[in-house]
Amino acid sequence: MAMASSLASPLHIKTSSKQPSAHFPGVAPCVPRNLQLPSMKFTARPSSSPALVIVGSAASTVGAEPQSGTATSAKLLPFRVGHGFDLHRLEPGYPLIIGGINIPHDRGCEAHSDGDVLLHCVVDAILGALGLPDIGQIFPDTDPKWKGAASSVFMEEAVRLMHEAGYELGNLDATLILQRPKLSPHKEAIRANLCKLLGADPSVVNLKAKTHEKVDSLGENRSIAAHTVVLLFRK
């Protein structure tokens, strides 16, 4: 009965806020360490900010902070990039005008204006870089006044808009795609006239010509196309 009495009595256990430690012969006691994990902080960048900057500190804090002088309009951007594309059907009875130069050929571009695929493409690239509507919206083919118009008129307006927005041409790279005729004899004349219309140094205007390996309408001499990329920078 004495044993039962002792079992029924409450047990008194001493507790301590200190962490328990184990002691083994020849082994140094374990000392708890206060480890601090690196903290991570991300700050959302406003959509109008021109760039994302990643910064770090000794505490391994990572943050994405907007740069000062956040752009609120197109004019605040240091540079802008635009891409233009155009394609025209080739038909007998029309002149083939490329970059303002009349190229001898048995067919030309069927279009509302003079059908200059290169100048149309360059105009669209500049307008695109400026964030403006495309050439078809500014010079609609439903307007009789543009019937048979020289595409140099469209170029002059695009260049005017570029300067008005506070930009200059950084450089231009254009590619013409057609199966015939060969453009090698005419490339320099085309490029020179393009530089004149843009008011640009020849060193910043590049022109390439490719065939389409006799594939689809381009390769079958039924159409002509052009791609252009422009870089504009603030004055």
Side-chain angles (χ1 to χ4, degrees):
M1 295 300 292
M3 182 180 294
S5 176
S6 64
L7 290 175
S9 62
L11 298 175
H12 298 282
I13 301 174
K14 296 181 66 177
T15 60
S16 172
S17 60
K18 295 182 179 180
Q19 294 183 356
S21 60
H23 298 278
F24 301 95
V27 180
C30 295
V31 180
R33 296 182 180 179
N34 294 324
L35 297 178
Q36 184 179 5
L37 294 175
S39 61
M40 303 292 288
K41 181 183 71 173
F42 294 92
T43 305
R45 177 174 64 90
S47 59
S48 61
S49 297
L52 182 68
V53 180
I54 306 299
V55 296
S57 68
S60 299
T61 300
V62 179
E65 301 290 346
Q67 287 183 337
S68 59
T70 301
T72 56
S73 67
K75 288 189 176 183
L76 294 181
L77 294 175
F79 62 86
R80 298 179 71 88
V81 176
H83 171 259
F85 170 77
D86 198 26
L87 181 146
H88 284 300
R89 188 167 57 248
L90 292 173
E91 295 288 351
Y94 292 89
L96 180 59
I97 301 174
I98 302 176
I101 305 298
N102 198 327
I103 308 297
H105 194 41
D106 61 354
R107 58 188 62 198
C109 292
E110 182 181 10
H112 185 68
S113 63
D114 63 1
D116 193 325
V117 68
L118 177 59
L119 294 191
H120 293 181
C121 185
V122 171
V123 169
D124 252 354
I126 294 173
L127 295 177
L130 296 173
L132 297 175
D134 60 47
I135 187 173
Q137 292 177 270
I138 296 179
F139 307 103
D141 58 10
T142 55
D143 192 334
K145 73 179 178 181
W146 305 124
K147 179 67 176 176
S151 295
S152 58
V153 175
F154 310 149
M155 280 286 294
E156 290 170 2
E157 178 64 9
V159 171
R160 184 190 71 79
L161 290 170
M162 176 179 68
H163 291 157
E164 186 179 74
Y167 287 90
E168 294 281 0
L169 178 69
N171 73 297
L172 178 150
D173 186 31
T175 302
L176 286 160
I177 307 171
L178 71 165
Q179 196 65 32
R180 294 195 305 272
K182 295 293 184 183
L183 289 184
S184 299
H186 311 288
K187 279 178 65 177
E188 284 308 310
I190 294 171
R191 192 165 75 100
N193 193 55
L194 189 57
C195 292
K196 179 182 176 182
L197 293 171
L198 291 166
D201 188 271
S203 64
V204 302
V205 176
N206 189 44
L207 177 64
K208 308 183 296 294
K210 305 286 183 181
T211 68
H212 215 247
E213 298 297 330
K214 300 182 180 179
V215 176
D216 66 33
S217 65
L218 289 166
E220 294 169 357
N221 194 34
R222 294 188 289 113
S223 64
I224 178 175
H227 288 270
T228 300
V229 177
V230 297
L231 172 68
L232 310 183
F233 65 92
R234 289 185 65 196
K235 293 182 181 180

